[in-house]
Amino acid sequence: MISHTNNAKPFLRALGGETLVPPPFWLMRQAGRYLPEYRELRGRAGSFLDLCYNPEMAAEVTLQPIRRFAMDAAILFADILLVPQALGMELSFDTGHGPRLGRLETAADVAKLSTADLHEHLGPVYRTVERVSAELPPAVALIGFAGAPWTVATYMVEGGSSREFTRTKAWARDDPGGFGQLIDIVVEATTAYLIEQVRHGAEAVQIFDSWAGALDGEDLAAWCYGPTRAIVDGFREACPDVPIIGFPRGIGERMAEYVVETGVNAVSIDTGIDTGWAAATLQPRCTVQGNLDPELLLAGGGAMVDAVVAILEALGRGPFVFNLGHGVLPPTPPENVALLAKTLRAWRP
Ligand code: CP3
């Protein structure tokens, strides 16, 4: 049984169901290109992957936003695509093109994937977790993460980013058994990966299902809820006290069903979710996280402040963690994040 639960940390208290005023906050992609200190370090590291596998530099990048803005949680600096790489796939990030993965086409390709070297390959990530956990201010929690199987599988099957997910959807539809084998391997690797992050110091984990919105009807249950539930069950067996945040982006009001079917402790809502609906429907069941539009953070000023206050008014009277609806956009002025933090800290119901 693994437990680092430190109930003095506001972020963990909120995930445990407490209502805190003001609520704790962090931002998806809070470490990244909008920060000049990130761009400087990224330039010295070489490639994005060199940065991910350099524990000293990755720990530094994880801590950069905490130093500037004193968020309540740090998120491990890594990427969801390290798992397919650890399973044996070729991965690269070409500037301007996003990720490229050697694409899976047949059952034989799936059969070649192997979890044998998983922890050895991901060892540097665990070293990063250890370093961050030793250096974090005492009230700040460390979030580990992984991609959800569906989202990770889309990159493995499409060979990179995609808009339509044509190949992945065709595989899932025409050969659900074969596609299920791919999903099962990702479930197994992801569960082991998240447990190991906790062993090294992560205090909560987030499962990013960024492309869940591409699934509808029964496919959402088959490829999003089911695999996520399998990870939640496996993870809880090893880490019963470590909270899990799910982020099934783009599934609208089926978020309510997602919460019930997966058993997550908290759900991160995207910009498309009405905060009044989330307060009435989701908050009685679990902690809610979200959902400022990253475009408003980019814009800053009065429009952003008004939107932040509206979110707090809707969700701040229940268990809540303030966040964005998706990641910080690279051109965002860091001053806007400072104004967001100030607005949040001054809010009272
Ligand atoms: O600050 C943090 O949130 C922690 C680190 C983090 C990164 N990626 C760093 C990163 C996290 C949690 C992720 C998750 C991730 N990675 C997701 C799920 C969340 C989401 O955004 O929907 C996805 C889909 C990926 C895959 C990925 N990584 C893509 C498609 C890209 C290219 C697009 C882009 O933004 O450049 C990445 C690269 C990436 N991951 C960067 C960072 C900081 C930019 C790389 C650089 O510095 O050039």
Side-chain angles (χ1 to χ4, degrees), residues 26-34 38-39 42 47-49 51-52 61-62 65 74-81 93-99 143-148 151-152 154-155 160-162 206-211 247 249 326-328 330:
W26 68 283
L27 305 177
M28 289 189 257
R29 289 282 175 99
Q30 64 190 16
R33 283 165 294 188
Y34 76 107
Y38 171 85
R39 296 196 296 269
R42 167 86 163 70
S47 74
F48 170 66
L49 283 175
L51 178 53
C52 288
V61 165
T62 306
I75 181 157
L76 164 67
F77 191 83
D79 198 85
I80 65 165
L81 299 180
F93 284 84
D94 313 333
T95 325
H97 288 284
I143 307 169
F145 75 91
T151 288
V152 172
T154 65
Y155 289 95
S161 299
S162 166
Q206 178 153 323
I207 301 173
F208 287 88
D209 216 345
S210 306
W211 303 117
F247 179 45
R249 190 167 72 94
H326 201 193
V328 177

Side-chain angles (χ1 to χ4, degrees), residues 180-306:
Q181 285 177 353
L182 166 57
I183 291 289
D184 288 348
I185 293 171
V186 179
V187 165
E188 181 193 337
T190 303
T191 307
Y193 179 44
L194 291 174
I195 292 170
E196 208 58 22
Q197 290 180 32
V198 171
R199 288 211 171 101
H200 291 274
E203 296 163 291
V205 296
Q206 178 153 323
I207 301 173
F208 287 88
D209 216 345
S210 306
W211 303 117
L215 293 166
D216 45 31
E218 289 172 14
D219 290 340
L220 194 60
W223 307 122
C224 167
Y225 309 162
T228 301
R229 175 92 224 183
I231 294 171
V232 168
D233 288 347
F235 177 83
R236 285 239 172 90
E237 219 171 282
C239 314
D241 303 323
V242 179
I244 304 166
I245 308 164
F247 179 45
R249 190 167 72 94
I251 69 169
E253 296 197 351
R254 294 190 73 181
M255 288 242 176
E257 198 180 52
Y258 171 91
V259 167
V260 173
E261 297 297 326
T262 63
V264 293
N265 301 84
V267 66
S268 202
I269 59 172
D270 59 81
T271 320
I273 300 288
D274 180 82
T275 50
W277 176 84
T281 314
L282 302 175
Q283 248 176 353
R285 291 185 186 278
C286 71
T287 299
V288 171
Q289 173 176 280
N291 76 340
L292 181 71
D293 188 340
E295 298 282 356
L296 283 167
L297 181 63
L298 170 63
M304 178 192 77
V305 169
D306 290 350

